[in-house]
Amino acid sequence: MKNFDIIATSAMGLEAIVAKEVRDLGYECQVENGKITYKGDVRAIARSNMWLRTADRIKIKIGEFKAYTFDELFEKTKALPWEEFLPENAEFPVSGKSVKSKLFSVSDCQAIVKKAIVERMRKSYKKTTWFEENGPLFKIEVALLKDVVTLTIDTSGSGLHKRGYRSGQGEAPLKETLAAALIKLTNWHPDKPFVDPFCGSGTIPIEAALIGQNIAPGFNREFVSEAWPIFPDSVWDEVRMEAEDLANYDQPLDISGMDIDHRMVKIAEENAFEAGLGDLISFKQMRVQDFTTKKEYGVIVGNPPYGERLGEKKAVEEMYSQMGKAFAPLDTWSIYILTSNEDFEQVYGKPATKKRKLFNGFIRTDYYQYWGKRPPRVDK
Ligand SMILES: C[S@@+](CC[C@H](N)C(=O)[O-])C[C@H]1O[C@@H](n2cnc3c(N)ncnc32)[C@H](O)[C@@H]1O
């Protein structure tokens, strides 16, 4: 099968985690700002869409070249083999962005790329009239960075965070891709307890259950490239069969989610049910201040309110402080809290073992990590 240049796009700060996922799938890759690039065939594209939990989208790079004039952009775009990807009836909208480049008018770049592709397709499909564009969708992007043009086609459709299970959500839901990344940054193993004390719509516990049973995040959704002629039908069937084979539905899990708001608990339960994990996660209404447990060596991952709205900061900090007291006895547990509050360690009452800068959408946050004691070694 033909090899393509594949790009897995990533949120800022998550590149290393996405790259690890790509390598775990079996593909050597390079890491750049916001993207992970590698080579692979259509099966690699389908597997990447199916399995990557922390990437935003999977794209194919069609070409990359320097362009300082619209003529150059037109000629170099026209020289690329678009007909190898796009059938005669393809729908192919072109979006764009331009950063620090001579060709800064994005709408002009989009129009020129569109015209160049039409011209190329007219020649290869021997067509003199307009294309009807009533077939499968190929979302093309022209991205300019420092005069380097990158032309890509999106293979995912909706972003990969759309797993298909979240119908209800609260005020500040976490993106599923970020939730998965937060879990991947912990030392959690599926045979250990896992708790999200601020579960909201349940994103973190649901992602933990998917990881715990090795269920592919894309198993319950469709991808735009499933309709493309370059993908033989068998590829997606094989990739779905592989996902079914690799899922470990027998893995027992001890995952719970709590929230102060009983309406959120109900939404989380409904979402878990939608994901097919209804009986695997226990949700209940509870304040984090009241959390106690006799279990050991568990992991807590929490995305509490940040208190960014006017007048909320004080109450949120009071809650953080009480949370610190409630968690203090849990010396075998590892605790991970994502917040934008810069005084978190002081308010919580303990310096973090480690912290990591992450963006939750446009909000700059830190992921405060408190590592628990290690379990004693069992000598054989
Ligand atoms: C930022 S949201 C969490 C969103 C969640 N990660 C999701 O993806 O939907 C914070 C949640 O913490 C809950 N919360 C606020 N104060 C709490 C407290 N003292 N104890 C437990 N939950 C609390 C809120 O009801 C809200 O659902």
Side-chain angles (χ1 to χ4, degrees), residues 6 11 23 48 67 82 89 101 129 139 158 176 180 183-185 241 247 253-254 308 318-319 322 333 361:
I6 305 175
R23 289 191 190 108
S48 303
W82 294 98
N89 62 350
S101 300
T129 54
K139 279 193 183 163
S158 325
E176 293 79 345
I183 300 161
K184 287 194 163 266
L185 286 168
M241 238 142 68
L253 296 173
D254 178 358
E308 293 213 326
E318 178 59 29
M319 184 265 283
Q322 291 169 358
W333 284 65

Side-chain angles (χ1 to χ4, degrees), residues 166 169-170 172-175 196-204 258-261 264 286-289 303-306 319:
R166 197 161 74 182
Q169 59 187 46
L174 211 53
K175 246 184 162 180
D196 174 2
F198 303 96
C199 70
S201 55
T203 321
I204 298 173
M258 297 96 171
D259 200 286
I260 197 169
D261 185 342
M264 290 318 303
M286 203 183 85
R287 297 187 328 152
V288 69
Q289 294 91 323
N303 171 221
Y306 302 162
M319 184 265 283

Side-chain angles (χ1 to χ4, degrees), residues 75 211 249 285:
E75 290 305 329
I211 292 171
Y249 299 114
Q285 189 270 330

Side-chain angles (χ1 to χ4, degrees), residues 68-75 103-105 108-109 112:
Y68 301 96
T69 65
F70 288 132
D71 271 353
E72 260 182 297
L73 177 61
F74 182 84
E75 290 305 329
L103 301 180
F104 60 83
S105 163
D108 284 333
C109 290
I112 282 163

